[in-house]
Amino acid sequence: MLKSWGPPAKSQLELAREVGISALWEKGIHGEGITVAVLDSGVNEEVLGVRLAWKIDLTSDNNPRDLLGHGTEMSKFILGYADRAQIGSIKVIDKCGLVTREVLIRALECCVERYPEIRVINISAGIRRRFWRWCWCTHDKPCNLCAMVNEVADLGLIVVAAAGNLGPGIDTLTCPGNAAGAYTIGASGKFPTSNWGRILEKYFPWLYYRLGEGSTGTSVSAALVSGALAILLSGLPDLKFNEIKEAIGITATLLQDGVREGHYYRAYKLLQHKRLGKPFDPDRAKKHYETGLQRRSNGEDKESIEEFEKAVELAPTSFIFYNELGLAYLR
């Protein structure tokens, strides 16, 4: 059974500014060339228009239309960030809101057949981890769905999965979010059962990045992250998932309760920096920054500029270093 908790309390444009998406728009990156597969309740093409590349129905409805509205809403959130990406709809949730492991596995097989056209798979749905009377899905002994997610991830596809709205608690993670190879997304904010910050920080420290405030639920959070990843892949098409994980982990903003909010412009800058073979050393950068502050207080403006430039060169993801360099130029 799938639940949707509506749009974020903040507008998506406000969130786009907060997490650095709007800065990527200014660089002309809008998700071009990236197809996101949405495994959900279907997508209505009159809402998405030309952004809907294709649609498949794997349910007993025998109708690819979205009869619940959830899949269409998730697609809108994805395109709210990556407005020039394409959506591939695979309907796995029927008109009663039901989804099974078997149908999701078939959908993942469809995605493999369309790889590398598909780069990101969004699953804003979840199934309880207990799949038999005494059997629970674990990392060591995954269920057949989570095992399939791991195989798909090994091929190079990025599977973004909602953590589920049953938590927080490690035993309340839903499948396929429990898969080791999934990019499992929680939600933060006022809605208590989706506040996954500390749990995912403890068990999956590289998996929790984002989003949502107010009554959003993890479905919306996963869709927003899928849109953000489409933006990154559009700007740097040959990115690997491990590179993205590392960059977002380094540049994410630490909020309260262990929640980390992804900042995708900083991640993009770091990825570009490393692609150019330049060193990334925040500790050395901080020393140059502190030296620059000291020299500026001594009236050594030119010398302070040199120090701040070294700081920026070693840690291009820090807006503080850039701000102080700008002030030094101004002086």
Side-chain angles (χ1 to χ4, degrees):
M1 182 67 69
L2 187 78
K3 295 182 179 179
S4 174
W5 302 102
K10 294 182 181 180
S11 72
Q12 194 161 356
L13 183 58
E14 289 178 297
L15 285 172
R17 295 193 188 102
E18 182 180 301
V19 300
I21 293 294
S22 58
L24 291 168
W25 293 340
E26 291 172 4
K27 295 181 72 68
I29 305 172
H30 293 266
E32 297 90 341
I34 303 299
T35 298
V36 180
V38 177
L39 279 53
D40 214 290
S41 60
V43 174
N44 292 332
E45 58 187 320
E46 68 269 20
V47 178
L48 265 61
V50 296
R51 296 295 107 199
L52 180 60
W54 43 264
K55 52 187 177 180
I56 299 171
D57 179 20
L58 298 180
T59 71
S60 58
D61 292 350
N62 294 318
N63 182 355
R65 286 187 57 77
D66 184 2
L67 304 177
L68 299 178
H70 190 270
T72 303
E73 280 300 302
M74 297 306 105
S75 299
K76 286 167 63 179
F77 281 119
I78 292 169
L79 295 173
Y81 279 176
D83 57 294
R84 295 179 191 167
Q86 294 286 312
I87 297 293
S89 171
I90 305 180
K91 185 174 179 177
V92 296
I93 303 170
D94 67 18
K95 61 186 177 183
C96 298
L98 299 177
V99 59
T100 66
R101 281 180 166 82
E102 290 70 29
V103 171
L104 278 171
I105 289 171
R106 286 172 56 200
L108 289 168
E109 290 171 348
C110 290
C111 292
V112 171
E113 291 171 2
R114 290 179 175 264
Y115 178 73
E117 174 199 349
I118 296 171
R119 299 297 305 279
V120 180
I121 302 172
N122 184 85
I123 308 179
S124 290
I127 300 172
R128 287 180 180 270
R129 286 173 51 219
R130 189 171 67 180
F131 58 93
W132 199 247
R133 187 173 182 180
W134 303 113
C135 296
W136 288 77
C137 174
T138 65
H139 273 192
D140 295 333
K141 296 182 179 180
C143 66
N144 51 358
L145 171 57
C146 289
M148 183 64 184
V149 167
N150 294 339
E151 292 179 22
V152 168
D154 288 341
L155 291 174
L157 284 154
I158 301 175
V159 182
V160 180
N165 295 329
L166 302 175
I170 192 61
D171 291 331
T172 58
L173 271 172
T174 55
C175 300
N178 191 56
Y183 198 28
T184 306
I185 307 300
S188 63
K190 299 176 183 178
F191 189 66
T193 59
S194 61
N195 203 348
W196 281 94
R198 289 180 177 172
I199 300 301
L200 292 178
E201 176 75 18
K202 179 179 179 181
Y203 290 92
F204 306 100
W206 49 268
L207 286 180
Y208 179 70
Y209 303 111
R210 151 9 222 155
L211 276 185
E213 184 169 334
S215 298
T216 68
T218 59
S219 290
V220 174
S221 299
L224 291 170
V225 171
S226 291
L229 296 187
I231 286 276
L232 288 178
L233 289 165
S234 179
L236 297 168
D238 59 340
L239 279 179
K240 304 299 182 185
F241 184 34
N242 286 338
E243 292 180 277
I244 295 175
K245 287 190 301 187
E246 181 186 36
I248 295 178
I250 291 171
T251 59
T253 304
L254 181 63
L255 306 178
Q256 61 183 0
D257 295 330
V259 173
R260 286 187 291 172
E261 179 179 69
H263 195 284
Y264 301 98
Y265 182 61
R266 291 201 295 262
Y268 177 80
K269 288 175 66 177
L270 177 56
L271 289 164
Q272 268 196 323
H273 187 77
K274 289 191 171 183
R275 288 296 173 89
L276 294 173
K278 296 181 179 180
F280 178 71
D281 193 332
D283 293 332
R284 283 175 56 201
K286 185 179 178 181
K287 291 179 180 178
H288 285 296
Y289 163 73
E290 292 171 346
T291 302
L293 292 176
Q294 183 63 46
R295 291 197 164 183
R296 187 174 64 190
S297 66
N298 293 338
E300 303 172 60
D301 293 332
K302 290 183 179 180
E303 290 78 4
S304 71
I305 287 176
E306 292 175 1
E307 294 296 333
F308 291 135
E309 284 178 339
K310 291 176 182 176
V312 166
E313 182 66 20
L314 289 168
T317 58
S318 174
F319 71 92
I320 295 175
F321 297 167
Y322 273 104
N323 285 346
E324 293 301 335
L325 177 60
L327 290 172
Y329 282 138
L330 182 63
R331 285 170 65 89

